[in-house]
Amino acid sequence: MHGDRGLTGRRGPGHGERLLFSLALVVVSLLWIGQDMAAWATATCAVGAVGGALGACYFGWRFVRSRGDAH
């Protein structure tokens, strides 16, 4: 039962994919932060950029560690 992948048979996103998603969040948030928006929207972009950067550090570390264990 532990190997059950559901109806699609696809595994979840790996550390490399999550790293790319986090980097994309940082880029999009930083692009939007430069726009003339309300204060709450600018704060949301800042939170997104910080969260994406933290995610990129975490998933990047996990990705490197998983690659090191494979060799």
Side-chain angles (χ1 to χ4, degrees), residues 4-71:
D4 187 19
R5 294 184 178 178
L7 296 176
T8 62
R10 185 176 187 280
R11 61 168 180 78
H15 299 302
E17 292 166 315
R18 290 178 176 155
L19 171 64
L20 292 176
F21 291 146
S22 297
L23 291 174
L25 178 61
V26 170
V27 169
V28 169
S29 294
L30 290 177
L31 285 173
W32 275 99
I33 227 169
Q35 301 297 316
D36 186 27
M37 298 182 294
W40 66 268
T42 303
T44 302
C45 289
V47 169
V50 170
L54 290 174
C57 291
Y58 178 75
F59 292 121
W61 177 74
R62 299 284 303 248
F63 179 71
V64 169
R65 293 276 313 242
S66 69
R67 290 291 170 205
D69 292 342
H71 292 124

